[in-house]
Amino acid sequence: MDQMRHSPRTYWSEARAGLRDIAPAAIAAIPIGLLFGAVAVAKGMSPAEVGLMSLLVFAGGAQFAAIETWIHPAPILTLAFATFLINARHILMGASLSPKLALSRSQEFVALFFLTDETWALSERRALDRPVTGAYWGVMGVVLFFNWTITTFLGAVLGSFLGDPARLGADFAFTALFIGLIAGFGRGRVMLVAVAVSAAVAALVYRYIGAPWHVASGALAGIAAAYLAAGEKSQSREKSQS
Amino acid sequence: MNVDPTTLLAILAMAVATYVTRIAGLFVADRLVLSGRAQAAFNAIPPAVLVAVIAPTALTTGWAEAIATLITALVATRLPLLATILVGVVSVVLLRAVL
């Protein structure tokens, strides 16, 4: 493995493979990054703040959620909690991926900053028949990182000139984007129950108690609903095994 | 090009929360085995949070937004992300003009 890591030819072919695999995801992320920047500015953030957020957080779903509920001054703990909940999936992704990375422990602490849904999914697929090298992982992570940081900043700068996003229905673009993302998590019975319960609880809490409590209460209700809805299925699976 | 101090703190808090989730897997690798129910609850976290975030806009703003939400949800399972966004935006603009 050390031999493989030090051979420049392998290094370049690994880097090229990473570039090839990440290209479609990077291209698809460009308009989404522009949109994020434009709406963030409309919500009252400065382009510098948008760029800084993308640079340090680098997590699309959590950033979209933060902007959608953005108020001034920013509710720090609420944002941190919502961010942690949305990104909690990274824990499982990192646990599954780290044994497959051909990296030392200290290198992993740097490499996993660049963990995203896309790089994780592509690396898990590659790990089926070979180890995931630092060159492969690094190219994918750095490409998506600069792609996201630059396009969101550019969107913020351009968005300042576009004016009120509600005029073109762009205020609804986030809602539509989220619906698309939610659909990507599956259409199983458990997922539908979780989504319906979360939506209902969040809407009611928003109506009768107010923001920002609807996020945590809706999310927790949806998660609890998934736990309860999955009960019978996991029991029957146990039964069929015995 | 100003950066508000409270916003900066919020961004830093979000950055720390995100990085913790990214490296936490290193410490639980090979030890994290979730049961069926716990696994289902864990899988439901991202969609449950995302739904809770959009529920006010989607369900409590008005009929145009609620109907556009329904249309978008119906196409979301068949179209790629950008096309889904486009359908949602176009339908909300048309519905706002009609309703």
Side-chain angles (χ1 to χ4, degrees):
Chain A
M1 190 151 305
D2 271 357
Q3 214 174 8
M4 185 175 73
R5 233 184 284 161
H6 293 301
S7 151
R9 222 179 74 196
T10 318
Y11 186 89
W12 283 113
S13 81
E14 286 288 309
R16 262 205 312 278
L19 198 61
R20 183 197 61 215
D21 286 356
I22 203 64
I27 291 165
I30 290 173
I32 293 168
L34 292 170
L35 177 74
F36 174 82
V39 183
V41 161
K43 289 267 185 174
M45 288 182 81
S46 73
E49 289 166 348
V50 172
L52 202 61
M53 187 191 265
S54 294
L55 206 66
L56 296 175
V57 181
F58 181 47
Q63 286 181 241
F64 278 119
I67 285 306
E68 180 67 19
T69 57
W70 195 258
I71 46 173
H72 196 85
I76 297 170
L77 287 180
T78 307
L79 286 171
F81 183 60
T83 300
F84 182 81
L85 277 183
I86 292 174
N87 290 329
R89 66 185 189 282
H90 289 150
I91 300 171
L92 285 186
M93 287 157 55
S96 156
L97 185 65
S98 73
K100 298 157 191 161
L101 288 172
L103 295 171
S104 71
R105 183 43 72 102
S106 54
Q107 287 171 327
E108 282 186 322
F109 278 101
V110 178
L112 286 178
F113 172 80
F114 298 97
L115 177 68
T116 57
D117 295 340
E118 293 87 353
T119 49
W120 175 75
L122 290 165
S123 297
E124 287 284 349
R125 201 181 61 189
R126 192 169 176 85
L128 292 176
D129 52 312
R130 73 199 93 181
V132 177
T133 59
Y136 180 78
W137 175 265
V139 163
M140 293 205 302
V142 166
V143 164
L144 275 196
F145 178 73
F146 282 107
N147 193 54
W148 178 247
T149 307
I150 292 168
T151 55
T152 52
F153 181 72
L154 210 61
V157 173
L158 297 174
S160 324
F161 298 107
L162 290 175
D164 182 14
R167 200 164 42 94
L168 297 166
D171 59 322
F172 194 76
F174 267 178
T175 311
L177 168 78
F178 273 41
I179 295 169
L181 290 177
I182 293 158
F185 284 103
R187 277 176 283 167
R189 184 184 60 89
V190 174
M191 212 57 99
L192 287 178
V193 170
V195 163
V197 169
S198 174
V201 170
L204 288 172
V205 168
Y206 180 79
R207 190 89 182 243
Y208 295 106
I209 299 173
W213 303 108
H214 63 282
V215 178
S217 50
L220 292 175
I223 294 160
Y227 184 83
L228 294 175
E232 294 165 37
K233 207 170 74 176
S234 52
Q235 265 173 3
S236 67
R237 202 187 298 149
E238 279 165 18
K239 236 179 270 171
S240 67
Q241 275 173 354
S242 59
Chain B
M1 283 293 154
N2 56 314
V3 176
D4 179 82
T6 313
T7 302
L8 178 63
L9 279 179
I11 290 171
L12 289 175
M14 288 175 65
V16 171
T18 304
Y19 185 63
V20 164
T21 64
R22 284 185 165 133
I23 57 162
L26 292 177
F27 303 101
V28 294
D30 307 325
R31 259 180 289 162
L32 194 66
V33 183
L34 295 175
S35 71
R37 283 187 133 180
Q39 180 70 53
F42 204 92
N43 291 344
I45 291 176
V49 176
L50 296 175
V51 167
V53 166
I54 60 165
T57 309
L59 301 176
T60 69
T61 317
W63 284 108
E65 288 76 12
I67 297 169
T69 296
L70 194 68
I71 295 171
T72 313
L74 287 175
V75 301
T77 53
R78 293 169 190 86
L79 297 181
L81 199 53
L82 276 178
T84 302
I85 296 173
L86 202 66
V87 168
V89 168
V90 169
S91 44
V92 89
V93 168
L94 292 177
L95 285 162
R96 278 174 183 165
V98 178
L99 295 176

